[in-house]
């Protein structure tokens, strides 16, 4: 893993050595792609446009958020900002990296939550826009615009996370793949016809399940809060 981490640090150096105007762009992207925006911005907008799509965005976002935490407990994953110092890498080789206010994220880093949760929750919205484009145009280019935008957005989010030293590239790739797979798999299983009580019960169940899993891992001698 040290070789993979070292390559990730070099990739971050390359990104940070880019044009100065890109710095604000990457920081803006990483801020706008915060998973909280799925619940505060994307869900309300999607729900306003189409109730079923909105519920799907909320449902997929909820489940992927929970799964991201569980995945991180099992996969752990270093974060570049801390790894370069704790591993001694910065003492062995010249490292030219800058710190940003969003760099000092703590907790496991694999997979990237920004990429995984955003990729999963936006899938229902993207498929709905693709279906809408297909009904109004026969042009394959027009039909591909939603998924093309989706792919470019996730690429930008992933690069922004590497830029601010929150994730290594392999963690970003893992988050994108997991997010797209979850979006594709969960969209068709959205309980759109269920009552508010079902969602409240499910949320409580996920919360209690994560607390129980956390306690079990700690009891087994695994420090999930390392």
């Amino acid at each position: 893993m040290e070789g993979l981490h070292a390559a990730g640090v070099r990739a971050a150096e390359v990104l940070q050595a880019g044009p100065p105007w890109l710095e604000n762009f990457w920081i803006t992207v990483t801020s706008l792609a915060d998973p909280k925006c799925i619940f505060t911005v994307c869900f309300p907008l999607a729900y306003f446009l189409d109730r079923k799509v909105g519920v799907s965005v909320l449902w997929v976002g909820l489940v992927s958020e929970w799964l991201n935490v569980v995945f991180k407990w099992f996969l752990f994953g270093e974060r570049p900002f801390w790894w370069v110092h704790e591993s001694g890498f910065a003492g062995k080789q010249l490292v030219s990296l800058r710190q940003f206010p969003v760099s000092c994220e703590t907790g496991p880093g694999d997979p990237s939550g920004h990429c995984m949760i955003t990729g999963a929750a936006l899938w229902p919205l993207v498929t709905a826009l693709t279906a809408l484009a297909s009904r109004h145009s026969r042009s394959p280019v027009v039909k591909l615009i939603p998924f093309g935008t989706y792919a470019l957005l996730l690429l930008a989010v992933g690069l922004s996370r590497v830029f601010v030293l929150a994730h290594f590239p392999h963690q970003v790739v893992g988050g994108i793949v997991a997010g797209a797979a979850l979006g594709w798999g969960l969209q068709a299983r959205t309980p759109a016809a269920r009552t508010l009580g079902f969602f409240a019960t499910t949320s409580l169940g996920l919360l209690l399940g994560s607390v129980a899993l956390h306690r079990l891992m700690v009891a087994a001698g695994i420090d999930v809060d390392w």
Side-chain angles (χ1 to χ4, degrees), residues 76-138:
F76 292 105
E78 300 278 358
R79 289 185 184 267
F81 175 77
W82 306 103
W83 181 83
V84 293
H85 301 291
E86 294 177 347
S87 66
F89 183 82
K92 301 173 186 175
Q93 302 185 42
L94 179 63
V95 178
S96 179
L97 291 172
R98 285 175 292 141
Q99 174 187 348
F100 304 95
V102 292
S103 294
C104 308
E105 291 194 26
T106 58
D110 195 13
S112 165
H114 278 62
C115 293
M116 178 176 167
I117 299 164
T118 301
L122 289 184
W123 186 276
L125 185 59
V126 170
T127 54
L129 290 174
T130 300
L132 182 64
S134 298
R135 288 197 297 268
H136 290 82
S137 175
R138 295 183 178 180

Side-chain angles (χ1 to χ4, degrees), residues 41-225:
V41 179
C42 295
F43 160 64
L45 286 175
Y47 192 87
F48 175 77
L49 296 173
D50 186 283
R51 179 186 180 279
K52 186 176 180 180
V53 175
V55 172
S56 186
V57 168
L58 182 62
W59 173 253
V60 175
L62 172 69
V63 176
S64 60
E65 176 94 46
W66 184 83
L67 282 173
N68 183 254
V69 173
V70 174
F71 285 168
K72 284 180 175 177
W73 285 348
F74 283 97
L75 297 175
F76 292 105
E78 300 278 358
R79 289 185 184 267
F81 175 77
W82 306 103
W83 181 83
V84 293
H85 301 291
E86 294 177 347
S87 66
F89 183 82
K92 301 173 186 175
Q93 302 185 42
L94 179 63
V95 178
S96 179
L97 291 172
R98 285 175 292 141
Q99 174 187 348
F100 304 95
V102 292
S103 294
C104 308
E105 291 194 26
T106 58
D110 195 13
S112 165
H114 278 62
C115 293
M116 178 176 167
I117 299 164
T118 301
L122 289 184
W123 186 276
L125 185 59
V126 170
T127 54
L129 290 174
T130 300
L132 182 64
S134 298
R135 288 197 297 268
H136 290 82
S137 175
R138 295 183 178 180
S139 170
V141 175
V142 173
K143 295 177 183 178
L144 287 174
I145 286 176
F147 271 103
T149 304
Y150 171 81
L152 289 175
L153 173 63
L154 289 184
L155 176 61
V157 172
L159 291 175
S160 75
R161 301 304 287 160
V162 175
F163 178 88
V164 300
L165 306 181
H167 291 288
F168 289 101
H170 70 277
Q171 297 170 346
V172 163
V173 172
I176 291 174
V177 172
L182 280 170
W184 174 79
L186 290 173
Q187 179 187 5
R189 296 171 177 80
T190 300
R194 297 298 190 108
T195 63
L196 183 61
F198 168 82
F199 291 100
T201 302
T202 301
S203 298
L204 180 61
L206 291 174
L207 173 62
L208 295 178
S210 59
V211 171
L213 179 59
H214 185 280
R215 295 286 180 87
L216 286 172
M217 295 183 74
V218 171
I222 302 173
D223 182 11
V224 296
D225 298 318

